[in-house]
Amino acid sequence: MTRRVAQDFVDLDRYPIGDLASAEAAALIADYRERFHNDGILILEGFIRPGATIDLTEEARSAAPRDFARVHHRNVYMGSPDDTLPEDHARNLQVFSNRGNVSTDRIPDSGPLKTLYAWKPLRDFIGAVLDGPPLYHYGDPLASLMINVNHAGEELGWHLDNSESSVTLM
C-alpha cells in the first residue's frame, strides 16, 4: 500500500472541505447543518474516493486479526439497569453485543486510517457542520480510533454513544 496524504482520500471536487472559507464549502456546510439538525444524521455518499476505500478496507482487514472480543449485556445507554425505574423502562431493557474491536494502538500510525483521522480539515469540516464548540481528537490512546470487527454471527446491539456525536466510516 502506497503512503498517501489525507487529501487523496476525500472527493474534494464533490466535498470541497480543504478550504472552508470558500463559497462552495460555506454552501455545503449550511446545507449539511440543516440536514443534520432535521434528521439527526448525515450520510455523505462518495465522500471517500473509491480507490481510497480499497486502501482503508485493506488496512482494517489486516488489523482485524488483532481484535479483542467484547461480549456484554447493557442497556441502550451503555450502562447498568436502574432499580428505581419500571422494568420496561429504556434504562432497564437489556441489549446484547458480541463483536471485536481493534484499539487505536493496534492501528499503524502511518496507515490511511490514522492519516485520515488526523487530518485537521476533516475535523474542522465536521465541527462546522455540527456548529458547536471546537472539536478535538479523543485523547484516549486506546479508544480514539477504533475498528469494529464483526465475525459471522456477531452483533452490536442498538445503543446510544456516550458522546455528543460520533463519526462512522463504513
Side-chain angles (χ1 to χ4, degrees):
M1 186 178 331
T2 305
R3 172 81 166 123
R4 294 167 66 181
V5 294
Q7 298 89 314
D8 292 339
F9 295 98
V10 176
D11 183 345
L12 293 174
D13 294 327
R14 190 169 173 189
Y15 300 96
I17 67 170
D19 178 11
L20 296 185
S22 72
E24 295 85 4
L28 191 72
I29 289 166
D31 176 45
Y32 288 172
R33 216 179 255 165
E34 182 177 346
R35 287 170 46 190
F36 182 74
H37 176 76
N38 291 335
D39 300 338
I41 188 170
L42 184 61
I43 298 171
L44 305 178
E45 296 286 341
F47 185 78
I48 302 295
R49 294 180 190 277
T53 301
I54 293 167
D55 288 349
L56 293 162
T57 301
E58 284 178 6
E59 182 177 41
R61 283 193 177 134
S62 69
R66 297 188 300 274
D67 74 331
F68 63 92
R70 296 189 63 193
V71 177
H72 57 80
H73 291 270
R74 292 188 176 162
N75 65 23
V76 298
Y77 298 99
M78 306 290 277
S80 300
D82 184 340
D83 295 336
T84 66
L85 297 171
E87 194 173 304
D88 63 348
H89 190 279
R91 291 207 180 268
N92 291 325
L93 298 176
Q94 297 293 292
V95 294
F96 174 74
S97 292
N98 67 328
R99 80 320 187 183
N101 290 106
V102 177
S103 57
T104 308
D105 63 325
R106 295 177 178 205
I107 301 170
D109 288 336
S110 62
L113 288 167
K114 281 191 178 173
T115 298
L116 188 59
Y117 176 76
W119 192 41
K120 188 177 181 324
L122 177 59
R123 187 180 69 221
D124 292 346
F125 168 69
I126 294 167
V129 170
L130 295 176
D131 198 23
L135 295 182
Y136 301 94
H137 288 123
Y138 189 37
D140 187 321
L142 300 178
S144 59
L145 176 64
M146 304 276 296
I147 299 171
N148 287 333
V149 180
N150 293 85
H151 301 285
E154 294 180 340
E155 63 184 282
L156 173 59
W158 190 88
H159 66 281
L160 298 168
D161 287 331
N162 294 324
S163 62
E164 290 185 28
S165 61
S166 61
V167 176
T168 302
L169 179 63
M170 290 183 148

